[in-house]
Amino acid sequence: MTELVSLGRAVRRVFPSGDTQRVALDTADFDIEMNESIALVGPSGSGKTTLLHLLAGLDAPSSGQLTWPALGPKEALRPRKVAVAFQGPTLLPALTVIENVALPLLLMGKPEDESLQAAGELLARFELGDLPNKFPDQISGGQSQRAGLARALITRPRLVLLDEPTGQQDHSTAARVLGSLLELLDETGAAAVVATHDESIVARFPRRWSLDGGHLFAEERIRCSA
Ligand code: ADP
Ligand code: MG
């Protein structure tokens, strides 16, 4: 019997909007198994980021139950068990690329040489092997985004939550970045929920969740018997 990485029942999130309320996520039911990769699709404003924040334990439902049976209480999720890479620039400007990627390990108390070595290996996998000592303002938006991904994955989290992880990559780079990501998820047995607009990315995920105006449609799993 597999323990679930996350389990949501009637999860609802509303935000105040003037005198009324805006329903960002409407009574969603879902579960995430170990090593399951899910593409999260839906138009702008449909609730994707809201759901990712809830899954990361960075926000709480207005009503309903959200738990992480295989990971423990919400307070224990970060930084080690759940990792997030959200849209927009997130690298610390005063640190080099490799220091940024190594940071979660250093904060967890890992020795510096081990942390930098692990960071260097991940940089190479995300095609950043030749710029470890650059500062964030010396690299492109696409390169920063890949460094953000490497930083999210360095702790070998059990649940990885990514918001448009290839939004700043050209088409062929996006395909390779996704290949590296799926490979790493497989190696570490992590589960992932990846919000994306890119249909060529969605097609490479075994499972899809669609959001429309806060309504979540969690597609049935495709079971492979091979
Ligand atoms: P998506 O990521 O799919 O574009 P979001 O989850 O960001 O969608 O937003 C879903 C809805 O919730 C939108 O109508 C948005 O305006 C609203 N919303 C999201 N976050 C907040 C917030 N912090 N305060 C008020 N409204 C919010
Ligand atoms: Mg969003």
Side-chain angles (χ1 to χ4, degrees), residues 48-49 87 163:
K48 301 183 298 295
T49 300
Q87 290 167 288
D163 210 347

Side-chain angles (χ1 to χ4, degrees), residues 31-210:
D31 51 65
I32 304 173
E33 292 183 353
M34 303 271 195
N35 200 14
E36 178 166 63
S37 313
I38 299 165
L40 177 61
V41 296
S44 189
S46 59
K48 301 183 298 295
T49 300
T50 299
L51 179 54
L52 292 177
H53 281 146
L54 290 167
L55 286 170
L58 292 164
D59 185 20
S62 308
S63 60
Q65 282 98 45
L66 176 57
T67 56
W68 295 266
L71 306 184
K74 178 173 169 170
E75 296 69 35
L77 295 179
R78 281 170 294 108
R80 192 174 208 141
K81 294 179 186 167
V82 172
V84 296
F86 288 122
Q87 290 167 288
T90 58
L91 298 183
L92 297 177
L95 299 183
T96 63
V97 169
I98 194 165
E99 288 166 348
N100 263 284
V101 174
L103 191 60
L105 293 183
L106 294 168
L107 291 174
M108 279 162 43
K110 264 218 170 210
E112 189 173 341
D113 53 346
E114 275 177 47
S115 302
L116 290 174
Q117 191 188 333
E121 283 163 18
L122 268 182
L123 285 177
R125 294 179 77 154
F126 285 104
E127 301 181 22
L128 297 166
D130 52 352
L131 37 83
N133 299 318
K134 298 268 190 214
F135 285 91
D137 66 356
Q138 298 173 315
I139 63 175
S140 72
Q143 289 166 338
S144 301
Q145 190 179 38
R146 301 208 297 279
L149 265 180
R151 186 181 55 187
L153 294 163
I154 198 161
T155 59
R156 299 175 83 88
R158 313 312 306 147
L159 175 60
V160 178
L161 305 166
L162 306 175
D163 210 347
E164 296 282 352
T166 59
Q168 294 182 60
Q169 314 295 329
D170 64 64
H171 201 71
S172 60
T173 312
R176 294 195 307 276
V177 167
L178 187 70
S180 298
L181 171 67
L182 293 172
E183 211 174 83
L184 275 161
L185 292 173
D186 222 42
E187 280 171 29
T188 58
V193 181
V194 178
T196 181
H197 281 106
D198 185 338
E199 273 302 324
S200 66
I201 285 187
V202 176
R204 291 172 66 183
F205 281 77
R207 195 176 182 209
R208 173 199 299 236
W209 288 356
S210 306

